[in-house]
Amino acid sequence: FLGLDNAGKTTMLYMLQSDKFTQTDSTIHPHQAEVTIGSIKFNSYDLGGHMQARKTWREYAGTVDGIIFMVDAADQNRLGEAKAELDSLLQMPELQNLPVVVFGNKVDKKEALKEEEFREIMGLPFHLTKGKDPNQLNPGARCNIEVFMCSVKARAGYGDGFTWLSSFLK
């Protein structure tokens, strides 16, 4: 689980583990958790998103099978920063073939971007992403990446992202 601080990474992880919405303080130290979704068991790492924590992301890059990149779609002041971090990750050779789910979180807030606007700002238009249907993937996609809008608080939208990710992990 990667993304800027306050994007909802730890909140999502707790939701997946306990089925309870719990807002947490910023993640100071990386932590690992096992989460089962359907028939897939995910061994996840929540690495934190503050500036210092982002320096550790590279250390985990070679040990993962996929990435969940969370973005606060309601915090328009930080979308450029989130895009820069995502772009940096996508340039890492060890991540070139990994599936990446980009969650535009907090769509329950009135100031949250709609998917089309979010994709434009993040540089992920439909024709460059893999497609949401794992059975009809876009051959023109630049990598295994797809956008899913969600609200962890409202418990909506993230199931499709995990289903998509799991289709690459079988």
Side-chain angles (χ1 to χ4, degrees):
F1 285 63
L2 300 176
L4 303 184
D5 49 307
N6 201 38
K9 300 175 300 299
T10 304
T11 302
M12 178 178 278
L13 191 56
Y14 283 141
M15 176 72 80
L16 294 171
Q17 289 178 301
S18 67
D19 199 33
K20 294 179 184 162
F21 177 77
T22 306
Q23 288 183 300
T24 62
D25 294 330
S26 289
T27 301
I28 304 300
H29 302 290
H31 63 275
Q32 181 226 358
E34 194 173 274
V35 177
T36 302
I37 302 171
S39 63
I40 304 282
K41 190 176 286 188
F42 292 92
N43 188 17
S44 62
Y45 299 93
D46 180 0
L47 301 182
H50 56 285
M51 190 63 74
Q52 195 64 28
R54 290 182 226 165
K55 295 176 183 175
T56 68
W57 291 0
R58 279 186 147 350
E59 296 172 25
Y60 290 82
T63 65
V64 299
D65 297 315
I67 293 175
I68 301 292
F69 192 86
M70 299 282 293
V71 180
D72 182 343
D75 188 354
Q76 296 182 34
N77 294 325
R78 297 192 71 198
L79 290 172
E81 184 180 1
K83 180 188 182 325
E85 291 296 342
L86 178 60
D87 288 348
S88 178
L89 283 171
L90 296 176
Q91 296 302 314
M92 294 173 60
E94 55 268 54
L95 302 181
Q96 292 297 306
N97 296 314
L98 292 183
V100 178
V101 171
V102 178
F103 280 124
N105 189 25
K106 304 185 184 181
V107 297
D108 54 297
K109 293 185 172 186
K110 65 178 173 21
E111 61 274 15
L113 294 177
K114 302 293 183 223
E115 183 172 352
E116 193 169 309
E117 299 169 295
F118 180 80
R119 283 175 171 276
E120 183 177 324
I121 289 172
M122 295 301 292
L124 298 169
F126 289 101
H127 69 280
L128 292 181
T129 60
K130 213 55 167 164
K132 294 186 184 196
D133 182 351
N135 298 315
Q136 294 184 333
L137 297 174
N138 175 9
R142 64 177 175 201
C143 59
N144 295 331
I145 190 167
E146 191 51 67
V147 172
F148 295 86
M149 304 305 283
C150 71
S151 169
V152 175
K153 183 177 183 180
R155 298 179 174 169
Y158 52 84
D160 292 338
F162 282 100
T163 299
W164 183 89
L165 178 64
S166 68
S167 73
F168 287 90
L169 303 178
K170 294 180 180 180

